[in-house]
Amino acid sequence: MIKARVSDFCQKEDGSLLKDKGGCCGGERLEERGDRAQYEILRLEQLLLQDIRILDRLGDLPARINLLFQDLGAYLQADRIYIFEFDGRKMSNTYEWCREGVSRQIDNLQDMEITDVQRWMSYLLKHETVEVKDIQTIRADYPVEYEVMSKQDIRSYIEAPLVVREKLIGFIGFDNPPVAKFEQLRPILLSLAYFISAAMEREQREEELLHRMKELRRASREAEAANNAKTEFLATVSHDLRTPMNAVLGYCQLALETDLQNEKDAYLKKISIAGASLLALINDTLDFQKLETGQISLNPEGARESALLERIATAVSPMMQAKQLQFIVNGEKLYKGPVLVDVLKVEEIFINLLSNAAKYTPAGGRVEFLAETLRLEEDYVHDRVVVRDTGIGISREFLPKIYEPFLQERVKQTIGQEGSGLGLSIVKRLVNMMGGRIEVQSQLGQGTQFAVYLSFRRYNQPEPQQPGGRTAVDLAGTRVLLCEDNKMNQEICAAILGKKQMTVDIAANGREGLDRFTASAPAAYDIILMDLRMPEMDGFEATRAIRSSSHPQARSIPIVAVTADAYREDLKRCLEAGMNAHVAKPLNVPQLLETMAKVLKKEDGKRDLCYNNY
């Protein structure tokens, strides 16, 4: 046991220690007293305190450890002082000090197998030292360890564990220290290992803190960027929603002020165009939100690709004609048989791309819509669809950002162009959802090409009904119960149906609709048009109540949802509640009439899955 402390001694200028007997002046040299062992212990303690101060300094930890080793090395009379650190099943020499004349080994001791010194682990894990005073004593029992050590001209060694956060991370050791000093070195080495471990842990925590601070700063920048993007998005949407709305209100005012029928007709036509633009902006915004939150799923059905291509081309042809664009459509190389495809989402992808092409291509330019089957397999069809234009193009700087939401490239040629900046974001997400990919090539002033690669499963069922044009329907004399709480919507719907010689009774909410139906005589109504969001009783509850009532038509009367809840998920809820079909607002009159005709022709109790284009 150490009976004296460094504090009991003072140090002379030559580094020797003096016993304090009331002051340094009266001290005597320990070496002169012959208490060499105690002197050595105190000297080591003094070195340890000095080295702790080195470890506590600020700055680079490797530099401090190297300085510490230099400070210790000369006094300990060891050949080498080193640290090994563990990395999984490997260990590497990370710090090394060598006495003059001893060759460095650090470069030769990288990525070594821990199994080479497996015996040590039982000691190190118990936070004990590993000591070999004569390497020849382990030659027979531990040949691998002996070979590793003897190659480095090691005759004796002592190691102590490095433990950070209760985990063994490596060890510190001395090679070839004087065997007589082992007893003195053991506590010193354990203390040294403790303080080096503490310094490593402190540095680790500081690095983690710095990393967290960087992450927080990055997250803050991203949040700020997202906020700025959303602010820009809201400003853009506000502007772009107000633009067509201004047109609607302005042309309405002009139509009210003129007595000339041809002027009224022209204004009404422009109101219709502005309204369609307004609806497209609203749909883009809502579709993007649904995609972002994972609320949209694929609903494949059987269809022929050529018919789908034609339907898309027909939908965008008016905008091509309005700008006097040459519109080239070619699907001759498409697979001729039916495939399973989500028709509405494929339409949305290519109507978005073609609308952009038309929007950003000057009058007299060209837009191409080309589709081909690249590879036909037993179960799958692999297609490429190209939308190419001779428009204004996209700058090299903006190309990497084209699929980011809320962003639009603002250049001179796009000033006055309407849009939310969500179209390509929606396209990208839909293509990804279908397991496809999209590529773009563009140069500013030289046009743009989008190539979409999609795969569809072949549909080996009876010939599917193709999407196509609608036939005129005659619903004169149909008796309709309209459940709708909004007075303007009541007036619009009643007027549309009245012009087709139908009679309409109006209920202002679901409760009133239920009461009117249950109190009516058999066959008083042929069909019920049901809004979903109404006060007192919503459309779902009203439908369930109608279906469970005792009225003779409770199970058979067709009920069609006519609502602004315009997604497939809403359709599913409608069918589950007992409705026969779903038509989205704003009303597409031919779609409404066709849906009504379709459900009215069905036999009692059967329900059809009809829906508008949403």
Side-chain angles (χ1 to χ4, degrees):
M1 178 176 295
I2 300 173
K3 296 181 181 179
R5 301 183 307 277
V6 172
S7 57
D8 295 328
F9 296 80
C10 59
Q11 188 173 19
K12 294 183 67 179
E13 291 182 2
D14 64 359
S16 62
L17 295 176
L18 296 176
K19 183 71 173 180
D20 189 2
K21 296 179 179 179
C24 289
C25 296
E28 66 177 299
R29 198 183 296 265
L30 278 180
E31 293 175 277
E32 295 171 355
R33 293 177 60 235
D35 197 351
R36 184 69 183 180
Q38 189 179 31
Y39 172 83
E40 292 290 346
I41 293 171
L42 292 172
R43 177 58 175 151
L44 284 172
E45 283 189 338
Q46 184 186 45
L47 283 172
L48 182 60
L49 291 174
Q50 183 172 310
D51 293 333
I52 290 170
R53 287 195 293 271
I54 292 174
L55 287 173
D56 281 341
R57 293 177 190 170
L58 297 176
D60 186 31
L61 180 61
R64 284 179 281 152
I65 290 177
N66 287 328
L67 182 60
L68 181 152
F69 282 5
Q70 291 173 25
D71 191 56
L72 275 174
Y75 185 80
L76 292 177
Q77 299 177 297
D79 284 352
R80 293 176 69 241
I81 305 175
Y82 48 83
I83 287 177
F84 277 77
E85 294 184 55
F86 298 149
D87 183 10
R89 302 176 64 86
K90 302 281 189 178
M91 64 179 188
S92 294
N93 191 175
T94 52
Y95 298 93
E96 180 187 62
W97 170 88
C98 294
R99 184 168 55 82
E100 187 177 352
V102 175
S103 60
R104 289 174 56 83
Q105 297 292 328
I106 189 168
D107 295 334
N108 306 322
L109 301 174
Q110 302 297 313
D111 293 323
M112 298 174 62
E113 297 289 338
I114 290 179
T115 52
D116 290 347
V117 290
Q118 189 62 43
R119 179 179 70 88
W120 298 4
M121 297 303 290
S122 60
Y123 295 97
L124 297 175
L125 288 169
K126 290 186 293 184
H127 300 182
E128 296 176 357
T129 56
V130 179
E131 301 177 16
V132 173
K133 295 182 178 181
D134 183 356
I135 196 173
Q136 297 302 323
T137 61
I138 67 169
R139 183 171 189 172
D141 294 332
Y142 306 104
V144 175
E145 182 180 335
Y146 173 81
E147 184 179 357
V148 171
M149 298 300 169
S150 59
K151 281 182 179 179
Q152 302 171 55
D153 193 26
I154 296 173
R155 300 175 299 282
S156 62
Y157 51 88
I158 180 170
E159 276 92 19
L162 296 174
V163 180
V164 172
R165 296 179 182 181
E166 299 183 0
K167 179 183 177 182
L168 180 67
I169 65 149
F171 56 87
I172 178 174
F174 304 151
D175 282 350
N176 301 331
V179 172
K181 288 188 176 183
F182 265 52
E183 295 303 317
Q184 301 168 15
L185 290 177
R186 187 182 302 116
I188 296 299
L189 183 60
L190 284 169
S191 298
L192 189 61
Y194 172 82
F195 287 110
I196 290 177
S197 296
M200 287 180 165
E201 181 172 347
R202 185 171 64 246
E203 183 179 59
Q204 190 180 97
R205 291 183 185 277
E206 288 173 354
E207 287 177 355
E208 290 173 357
L209 180 61
L210 286 173
H211 178 71
R212 283 198 293 270
M213 290 174 65
K214 287 179 182 177
E215 286 295 305
L216 286 172
R217 284 195 291 268
R218 182 187 60 78
S220 176
R221 288 194 300 269
E222 287 179 357
E224 185 178 358
N227 258 353
N228 292 339
K230 288 180 181 179
T231 300
E232 176 66 20
F233 163 69
L234 290 173
T236 301
V237 168
S238 174
H239 169 270
D240 290 343
L241 288 176
R242 288 171 184 274
T243 299
M245 179 58 71
N246 181 65
V248 169
L249 297 176
Y251 286 128
C252 281
Q253 184 64 35
L254 292 172
L256 291 170
E257 291 174 354
T258 183
D259 294 325
L260 301 176
Q261 189 58 45
N262 61 336
E263 285 189 6
K264 284 184 183 289
D265 291 343
Y267 292 144
L268 289 173
K269 184 177 181 181
K270 291 175 180 178
I271 289 169
S272 177
I273 293 170
S277 175
L278 184 60
L279 178 61
L281 284 166
I282 293 170
N283 284 341
D284 271 358
T285 305
L286 296 178
D287 282 351
F288 178 77
Q289 187 271 337
K290 288 277 187 178
L291 284 165
E292 281 287 275
T293 55
Q295 298 179 53
I296 290 183
S297 56
L298 294 175
N299 296 278
E301 56 187 289
R304 288 188 180 274
E305 296 180 286
S306 55
L308 182 54
L309 184 78
E310 183 180 346
R311 176 168 165 166
I312 294 168
T314 301
V316 299
S317 287
M319 68 179 75
M320 303 293 178
Q321 294 169 6
K323 290 193 69 174
Q324 299 178 331
L325 300 175
Q326 184 184 3
F327 186 35
I328 299 168
V329 182
N330 189 337
E332 293 179 2
K333 295 182 180 180
L334 277 174
Y335 170 61
K336 305 304 180 188
V339 295
L340 276 174
V341 54
D342 190 318
V343 172
L344 297 180
K345 291 184 178 61
V346 170
E347 283 184 351
E348 187 168 3
I349 288 170
F350 293 107
I351 288 175
N352 253 314
L353 292 177
L354 289 164
S355 297
N356 274 355
K359 183 189 297 185
Y360 298 115
T361 300
R366 183 177 72 254
V367 175
E368 298 175 64
F369 185 32
L370 314 173
E372 62 178 331
T373 295
L374 296 177
R375 191 169 77 259
L376 185 62
E377 296 177 352
E378 183 177 351
D379 295 323
Y380 282 91
V381 177
H382 303 279
D383 294 339
R384 177 177 63 193
V385 185
V386 172
V387 174
R388 183 187 301 136
D389 64 60
T390 58
I392 62 174
I394 304 167
S395 70
R396 180 184 303 176
E397 294 75 21
F398 194 74
L399 262 180
K401 304 175 184 177
I402 59 171
Y403 302 119
E404 292 183 23
F406 318 127
L407 292 181
Q408 289 177 297
E409 185 171 29
R410 298 296 187 182
V411 294
K412 181 179 179 181
Q413 296 92 328
T414 66
I415 295 174
Q417 298 284 4
E418 297 172 2
S420 64
L422 292 174
L424 288 178
S425 298
I426 291 170
V427 166
K428 176 70 170 175
R429 283 163 172 75
L430 287 175
V431 170
N432 288 347
M433 183 186 293
M434 294 180 184
R437 75 178 194 275
I438 183 169
E439 298 174 351
V440 60
Q441 297 176 5
S442 186
Q443 286 188 340
L444 203 57
Q446 297 185 30
T448 301
Q449 173 181 297
F450 285 95
V452 180
Y453 297 82
L454 294 171
S455 297
F456 304 110
R457 183 181 287 276
R458 294 171 69 171
Y459 185 69
N460 300 317
Q461 300 295 324
E463 187 72 10
Q465 182 179 353
Q466 296 302 318
R470 301 184 176 97
T471 57
V473 293
D474 182 9
L475 296 172
T478 301
R479 292 155 296 186
V480 181
L481 174 59
L482 172 63
C483 301
E484 169 64 67
D485 63 309
N486 184 278
K487 290 189 177 297
M488 286 189 290
N489 287 338
Q490 292 173 1
E491 184 179 347
I492 290 169
C493 194
I496 289 170
L497 301 179
K499 287 188 176 182
K500 299 297 181 181
Q501 288 77 53
M502 292 182 250
T503 59
V504 182
D505 279 352
I506 296 174
N509 55 61
R511 171 68 64 187
E512 187 177 331
L514 172 63
D515 293 342
R516 279 179 177 269
F517 174 75
T518 55
S520 67
Y525 298 113
D526 298 309
I527 189 170
I528 299 173
L529 301 183
M530 183 74 72
D531 188 22
L532 297 185
R533 297 178 185 267
M534 294 181 289
E536 294 194 39
M537 182 181 284
D538 65 26
F540 299 110
E541 189 178 352
T543 298
R544 285 190 287 267
I546 288 171
R547 293 300 187 207
S548 61
S549 72
S550 58
H551 193 281
Q553 288 177 277
R555 300 290 298 168
S556 61
I557 188 165
I559 303 177
V560 176
V562 180
T563 175
D565 293 326
Y567 288 91
R568 281 188 187 270
E569 292 76 10
D570 303 313
L571 167 62
K572 182 181 178 182
R573 290 184 64 202
C574 291
L575 296 178
E576 289 172 349
M579 300 182 201
N580 300 77
H582 177 290
V583 176
K585 295 175 183 175
L587 289 176
N588 178 316
V589 176
Q591 176 71 52
L592 172 64
L593 299 177
E594 183 179 299
T595 301
M596 291 175 67
K598 196 170 185 180
V599 298
L600 283 165
K601 290 176 184 178
K602 294 293 179 183
E603 298 176 7
D604 289 356
K606 291 187 178 180
R607 287 181 283 153
D608 184 38
L609 189 149
C610 301
Y611 48 86
N612 200 354
N613 186 10
Y614 56 88

